[in-house]
Amino acid sequence: MSTTPRRTTDPARPRIARPLPTTIWLPAPDQPHAAPAPGTVLPDWAIERIRTVFTTRPGQQPAPLLKISVRDTEPGMDVRIPVITYTNGTPSRLSLLLAELHPDTLPDPTEVPVCGVSEMPGAMEDGWAGFFHRAHRLLPADGLLLATRQRRDEGILTDPLGSLIACARTAGFRYLQHVIVAHAHPADDRLIPTPPADASPGVAHSDLIALSAIQSCVGS
């Protein structure tokens, strides 16, 4: 008979939340294009690193990466979304979707976004709620990357990530990791700012959020 004391849970003892892993990405010192092009969120070097870090499997080439640029959330938004596929010619099913949300396309922070219960729940909804539900249905595995950055409203830097992540969770995504894509160029022991040409003053980085699509399992 075991004499090992049983572990009990003290209801009065608060649970300690584990912080999500945060990683900082910097361009190589000799990277000639450290800043993203106007109208985009991530520079080319960061997209290549995404393929290396998030799509590569041991002994295999990086899988194709599908990048979409969400410019509005009005009805019919899907047909207006530009799509770019980054691939080396290796065929593969879609397992990773990069959704690039330029801050200038996001509504006012006090209105971003509405993800409550509506008369059309799920993928048929308009706006951010419907977008995240459709992305969840599209992905067969567990890959969604959300890229955006802060903007300045009435002199104050605002961050849309909190509301967008809440929307993604409502649609069935799990928040896994936060990557900070620094808009700075390393030189010796210093960082030289290389802000995007169309960024708000004071913006020094873009945010890349890794989300996992939770797949429901139905027992027999």
Side-chain angles (χ1 to χ4, degrees):
M1 183 175 180
S2 174
T3 58
T4 303
R6 180 180 299 176
R7 178 181 295 178
T8 59
T9 302
D10 184 356
R13 185 176 181 178
R15 295 182 61 184
I16 300 176
R18 296 180 179 179
L20 291 168
T22 302
T23 305
I24 298 178
W25 285 359
L26 288 167
D30 57 349
Q31 172 58 247
H33 304 292
T40 65
V41 174
L42 297 177
D44 290 340
W45 66 263
I47 293 177
E48 287 303 313
R49 188 172 296 183
I50 286 172
R51 293 195 65 206
T52 301
V53 172
F54 289 100
T55 74
T56 303
R57 298 294 183 267
Q60 299 180 5
Q61 295 292 326
L65 171 67
L66 188 68
K67 187 186 85 168
I68 60 176
S69 299
V70 182
R71 296 178 175 175
D72 70 86
T73 56
E74 297 300 319
M77 60 179 286
D78 292 355
V79 300
R80 296 187 297 273
I81 293 178
V83 179
I84 298 177
T85 302
Y86 296 84
T87 180
N88 57 0
T90 304
S92 175
R93 69 175 187 172
L94 174 64
S95 61
L96 189 65
L97 178 67
L98 170 61
E100 197 173 56
L101 315 179
H102 195 279
D104 290 345
T105 68
L106 297 174
D108 184 271
T110 60
E111 303 174 2
V112 178
V114 177
C115 296
V117 178
S118 72
E119 296 179 357
M120 300 177 63
M124 294 299 293
E125 289 184 82
D126 293 326
W128 293 113
F131 166 75
F132 284 114
H133 277 284
R134 291 191 295 277
H136 189 279
R137 294 186 180 188
L138 175 66
L139 292 167
D142 57 358
L144 174 63
L145 300 176
L146 189 65
T148 188
R149 62 171 175 258
Q150 294 175 317
R151 70 179 185 189
R152 189 173 293 276
D153 293 289
E154 299 181 353
I156 300 175
L157 282 176
T158 59
D159 190 345
L161 275 181
S163 296
L164 292 171
I165 292 172
C167 245
R169 282 174 164 161
T170 300
F173 285 98
R174 181 185 293 113
Y175 182 13
L176 299 179
Q177 185 178 7
H178 182 188
V179 177
I180 295 174
V181 180
H183 299 308
H185 208 112
D188 297 327
D189 59 348
R190 298 178 299 117
L191 291 177
I192 301 175
T194 55
D198 57 350
S200 297
V203 171
H205 72 277
S206 290
D207 296 289
L208 180 66
I209 301 300
L211 300 161
S212 170
I214 303 172
Q215 303 296 323
S216 60
C217 297
V218 179
S220 56

